[in-house]
Amino acid sequence: MSIKLSIITVNYNDSAGLQKTINSVLNQSLQNFEFIIIDGNSNDGSKELLQQNSEPSIRWISEPDNGIYHAMNKGTRMATGEYLLFLNSGDILFDTEVIKQVDQEIDGTYGIYYGDIIFEEPEQQKKIVFPDKLSFTFFYKQSLSHQASFIKKALFDELFFYNEDFKIVSDWEFFTYAICKQNITYKHLNILVTIYDGNGISSNADNLKLMYQEREISLRRYFPAFKDDYTQIGELEHKRVKQFFYIKGHPFAWKILKFCIKAITLFLPKNKIKE
């Protein structure tokens, strides 16, 4: 392999998930990576588990931290690889050939490579394929999965490390800023990289309100002039707006719709329509 990879796993009181992650990494057919585990001083047996898994390829620490992104930043600073994959406790690589497949694709040309995931919940699994072309609209609606992304380590020094003030969206913030503002190059890999553990903090519906609050703070910080457009982009994504543009492509239906719109607007204040 010409490019060195660092796999970083953060864990806190999830010894069962940690064992799953360790197994999936150590069972890879190609073992040319370093594996860094950052444990937040767990008291559920995780530390003892790490002591039992004393593989030469694993480097680990167990000490208190200030949250997920603080732990991910610790792993980033410890890493010696050119590219980083953040595979959190409970997440597993899709199969034993993932690293071998990725090894054939990453040549250092792009700042970020990303593959696809299986989103796993207790009742179901869902395959998520990310688009080849990324845009601000994409990041408005969703994000890349850091569990399936290979990020050039140098970008953290050039841009910033994960925001430790946030609890949920720091990886989203990093991707959005890097790709939409700094034009960092990227490439989609047609590879299923990870089975993503859907029990994580960012997947919990109870955290949606906090997620949007943190996104709002980030957008005001890095995209203040784009903030109003950001809202309009959301409106353009509504189903009815999409139907409107679909009908516009059919002349007869478009004439009927225009007639209906004209009739309705007769009963509305004219100055409001001009606004």
Side-chain angles (χ1 to χ4, degrees), residues 222-239:
Y222 294 115
F223 301 91
F226 207 9
K227 186 65 183 65
D228 291 339
D229 289 339
Y230 179 79
T231 303
Q232 291 182 6
I233 287 171
E235 293 174 350
L236 290 173
E237 288 298 305
H238 288 173
K239 183 178 178 181

Side-chain angles (χ1 to χ4, degrees), residues 27-146:
N27 287 335
Q28 289 298 298
S29 63
L30 192 62
Q31 291 279 321
N32 56 348
F33 52 79
E34 67 174 357
F35 189 17
I36 297 171
I37 300 174
I38 309 296
D39 178 66
N41 198 30
S42 299
N43 55 19
D44 72 334
S46 294
K47 189 183 299 184
E48 291 75 13
L49 178 66
L50 289 168
Q51 291 168 340
Q52 294 166 11
N53 286 277
S54 57
E55 296 287 337
S57 59
I58 298 179
R59 298 164 56 201
W60 64 273
I61 58 173
S62 181
E63 62 186 22
D65 58 45
N66 297 323
I68 293 174
Y69 293 112
H70 182 210
M72 291 169 75
N73 284 340
K74 282 185 183 180
T76 300
R77 292 187 173 92
M78 286 175 60
T80 61
E82 190 172 346
Y83 282 83
L84 311 181
L85 170 65
F86 296 96
L87 194 67
N88 289 351
S89 179
D91 302 325
I92 59 175
L93 296 171
F94 178 68
D95 61 25
T96 59
E97 301 301 309
V98 168
I99 299 301
K100 185 177 181 180
Q101 290 178 287
V102 169
D103 177 71
Q104 296 169 355
E105 296 287 343
I106 296 181
D107 61 3
T109 302
Y110 298 91
I112 298 171
Y113 297 82
Y114 59 96
D116 304 318
I117 64 169
I118 299 290
F119 186 82
E120 183 176 66
E121 296 177 296
E123 298 82 15
Q124 63 176 345
Q125 286 188 336
K126 180 170 66 176
K127 180 180 179 181
I128 298 178
V129 177
F130 295 102
D132 293 337
K133 185 173 177 56
L134 302 174
S135 65
F136 195 84
T137 301
F138 167 79
F139 285 105
Y140 168 76
K141 294 184 293 185
Q142 51 185 309
S143 181
L144 296 177
S145 171
H146 67 71

Side-chain angles (χ1 to χ4, degrees), residues 208-219:
L208 280 177
K209 183 178 179 181
L210 178 60
M211 182 188 77
Y212 286 116
Q213 288 174 343
E214 291 183 350
R215 284 190 177 195
E216 178 82 9
I217 294 169
S218 179
L219 288 169

